[in-house]
PDB file of all heavy atoms in Angstrom:
ATOM      1  N   ASN T  74     -23.057  -1.147  20.098  1.00 98.00           N
ATOM      2  CA  ASN T  74     -22.174  -1.142  21.308  1.00 98.00           C
ATOM      3  C   ASN T  74     -21.233  -2.377  21.431  1.00 98.00           C
ATOM      4  O   ASN T  74     -20.112  -2.228  21.916  1.00 98.00           O
ATOM      5  CB  ASN T  74     -23.037  -1.135  22.560  1.00 98.00           C
ATOM      6  CG  ASN T  74     -23.707   0.344  22.746  1.00 98.00           C
ATOM      7  OD1 ASN T  74     -23.373   1.155  22.071  1.00 98.00           O
ATOM      8  ND2 ASN T  74     -24.566   0.382  23.655  1.00 98.00           N
ATOM      9  N   LEU T  75     -21.693  -3.516  20.985  1.00 98.00           N
ATOM     10  CA  LEU T  75     -20.919  -4.741  20.888  1.00 98.00           C
ATOM     11  C   LEU T  75     -19.857  -4.610  19.849  1.00 98.00           C
ATOM     12  O   LEU T  75     -18.594  -4.838  20.147  1.00 98.00           O
ATOM     13  CB  LEU T  75     -21.865  -6.001  20.519  1.00 98.00           C
ATOM     14  CG  LEU T  75     -22.713  -6.436  21.630  1.00 98.00           C
ATOM     15  CD1 LEU T  75     -23.739  -7.377  21.121  1.00 98.00           C
ATOM     16  CD2 LEU T  75     -22.022  -7.103  22.846  1.00 98.00           C
ATOM     17  N   ILE T  76     -20.176  -4.144  18.686  1.00 98.00           N
ATOM     18  CA  ILE T  76     -19.192  -3.913  17.633  1.00 98.00           C
ATOM     19  C   ILE T  76     -17.998  -2.882  18.028  1.00 98.00           C
ATOM     20  O   ILE T  76     -16.865  -3.173  17.885  1.00 98.00           O
ATOM     21  CB  ILE T  76     -19.804  -3.447  16.330  1.00 98.00           C
ATOM     22  CG1 ILE T  76     -20.724  -4.576  15.736  1.00 98.00           C
ATOM     23  CG2 ILE T  76     -18.775  -2.901  15.348  1.00 98.00           C
ATOM     24  CD1 ILE T  76     -21.764  -4.077  14.737  1.00 98.00           C
ATOM     25  N   ASP T  77     -18.496  -1.865  18.814  1.00 98.00           N
ATOM     26  CA  ASP T  77     -17.502  -0.856  19.301  1.00 98.00           C
ATOM     27  C   ASP T  77     -16.584  -1.436  20.255  1.00 98.00           C
ATOM     28  O   ASP T  77     -15.483  -0.921  20.649  1.00 98.00           O
ATOM     29  CB  ASP T  77     -18.312   0.256  19.939  1.00 98.00           C
ATOM     30  CG  ASP T  77     -18.998   1.216  18.980  1.00 98.00           C
ATOM     31  OD1 ASP T  77     -18.808   1.006  17.662  1.00 98.00           O
ATOM     32  OD2 ASP T  77     -19.871   2.006  19.319  1.00 98.00           O
ATOM     33  N   ASN T  78     -16.999  -2.551  20.893  1.00 98.00           N
ATOM     34  CA  ASN T  78     -16.182  -3.149  21.876  1.00 98.00           C
ATOM     35  C   ASN T  78     -15.409  -4.480  21.302  1.00 98.00           C
ATOM     36  O   ASN T  78     -14.924  -5.389  22.009  1.00 98.00           O
ATOM     37  CB  ASN T  78     -17.012  -3.664  23.160  1.00 98.00           C
ATOM     38  CG  ASN T  78     -17.144  -2.504  23.970  1.00 98.00           C
ATOM     39  OD1 ASN T  78     -16.310  -2.274  24.758  1.00 98.00           O
ATOM     40  ND2 ASN T  78     -18.352  -1.985  24.042  1.00 98.00           N
ATOM     41  N   GLY T  79     -15.444  -4.551  19.947  1.00 98.00           N
ATOM     42  CA  GLY T  79     -14.687  -5.725  19.277  1.00 98.00           C
ATOM     43  C   GLY T  79     -15.507  -6.966  19.277  1.00 98.00           C
ATOM     44  O   GLY T  79     -14.912  -8.096  18.993  1.00 98.00           O
ATOM     45  N   ILE T  80     -16.792  -6.907  19.466  1.00 98.00           N
ATOM     46  CA  ILE T  80     -17.536  -8.228  19.447  1.00 98.00           C
ATOM     47  C   ILE T  80     -18.466  -8.281  18.366  1.00 98.00           C
ATOM     48  O   ILE T  80     -19.309  -7.334  18.245  1.00 98.00           O
ATOM     49  CB  ILE T  80     -18.226  -8.371  20.878  1.00 98.00           C
ATOM     50  CG1 ILE T  80     -17.346  -8.220  22.134  1.00 98.00           C
ATOM     51  CG2 ILE T  80     -19.023  -9.687  20.982  1.00 98.00           C
ATOM     52  CD1 ILE T  80     -16.399  -9.328  22.238  1.00 98.00           C
ATOM     53  N   ASN T  81     -18.516  -9.296  17.537  1.00 98.00           N
ATOM     54  CA  ASN T  81     -19.456  -9.508  16.587  1.00 98.00           C
ATOM     55  C   ASN T  81     -20.760  -9.956  17.312  1.00 98.00           C
ATOM     56  O   ASN T  81     -20.680 -11.072  18.039  1.00 98.00           O
ATOM     57  CB  ASN T  81     -19.099 -10.608  15.590  1.00 98.00           C
ATOM     58  CG  ASN T  81     -20.048 -10.876  14.529  1.00 98.00           C
ATOM     59  OD1 ASN T  81     -21.237 -10.615  14.574  1.00 98.00           O
ATOM     60  ND2 ASN T  81     -19.510 -11.523  13.501  1.00 98.00           N
ATOM     61  N   PRO T  82     -21.918  -9.276  17.119  1.00 98.00           N
ATOM     62  CA  PRO T  82     -23.153  -9.715  17.867  1.00 98.00           C
ATOM     63  C   PRO T  82     -23.491 -11.224  17.567  1.00 98.00           C
ATOM     64  O   PRO T  82     -24.193 -11.824  18.425  1.00 98.00           O
ATOM     65  CB  PRO T  82     -24.163  -8.850  17.257  1.00 98.00           C
ATOM     66  CG  PRO T  82     -23.501  -7.574  16.884  1.00 98.00           C
ATOM     67  CD  PRO T  82     -22.072  -7.918  16.326  1.00 98.00           C
ATOM     68  N   MET T  83     -23.068 -11.717  16.474  1.00 97.00           N
ATOM     69  CA  MET T  83     -23.444 -13.114  15.974  1.00 97.00           C
ATOM     70  C   MET T  83     -22.545 -14.018  16.851  1.00 97.00           C
ATOM     71  O   MET T  83     -22.744 -15.199  16.809  1.00 97.00           O
ATOM     72  CB  MET T  83     -23.170 -13.390  14.538  1.00 97.00           C
ATOM     73  CG  MET T  83     -24.058 -12.516  13.669  1.00 97.00           C
ATOM     74  SD  MET T  83     -26.034 -12.724  14.011  1.00 97.00           S
ATOM     75  CE  MET T  83     -26.434 -11.025  14.534  1.00 97.00           C
ATOM     76  N   GLU T  84     -21.567 -13.526  17.551  1.00 98.00           N
ATOM     77  CA  GLU T  84     -20.728 -14.476  18.510  1.00 98.00           C
ATOM     78  C   GLU T  84     -21.249 -14.612  19.905  1.00 98.00           C
ATOM     79  O   GLU T  84     -20.799 -15.603  20.655  1.00 98.00           O
ATOM     80  CB  GLU T  84     -19.355 -13.883  18.533  1.00 98.00           C
ATOM     81  CG  GLU T  84     -18.650 -13.855  17.238  1.00 98.00           C
ATOM     82  CD  GLU T  84     -17.239 -13.141  17.218  1.00 98.00           C
ATOM     83  OE1 GLU T  84     -17.077 -12.280  18.209  1.00 98.00           O
ATOM     84  OE2 GLU T  84     -16.440 -13.415  16.372  1.00 98.00           O
ATOM     85  N   VAL T  85     -22.312 -13.783  20.238  1.00 98.00           N
ATOM     86  CA  VAL T  85     -22.977 -14.091  21.548  1.00 98.00           C
ATOM     87  C   VAL T  85     -23.502 -15.430  21.687  1.00 98.00           C
ATOM     88  O   VAL T  85     -24.164 -15.932  20.830  1.00 98.00           O
ATOM     89  CB  VAL T  85     -24.039 -13.059  21.856  1.00 98.00           C
ATOM     90  CG1 VAL T  85     -24.831 -13.380  23.151  1.00 98.00           C
ATOM     91  CG2 VAL T  85     -23.413 -11.578  21.908  1.00 98.00           C
ATOM     92  N   THR T  86     -23.185 -16.208  22.799  1.00 98.00           N
ATOM     93  CA  THR T  86     -23.397 -17.520  22.868  1.00 98.00           C
ATOM     94  C   THR T  86     -24.720 -17.804  23.621  1.00 98.00           C
ATOM     95  O   THR T  86     -25.561 -18.654  23.488  1.00 98.00           O
ATOM     96  CB  THR T  86     -22.380 -18.379  23.372  1.00 98.00           C
ATOM     97  OG1 THR T  86     -21.976 -17.925  24.687  1.00 98.00           O
ATOM     98  CG2 THR T  86     -21.190 -18.453  22.449  1.00 98.00           C
TER      99      THR T  86
END
Side-chain angles (χ1 to χ4, degrees):
N74 287 352
L75 289 166
I76 293 163
D77 290 346
N78 281 283
I80 303 294
N81 181 338
M83 298 304 118
E84 294 174 339
V85 171
T86 57

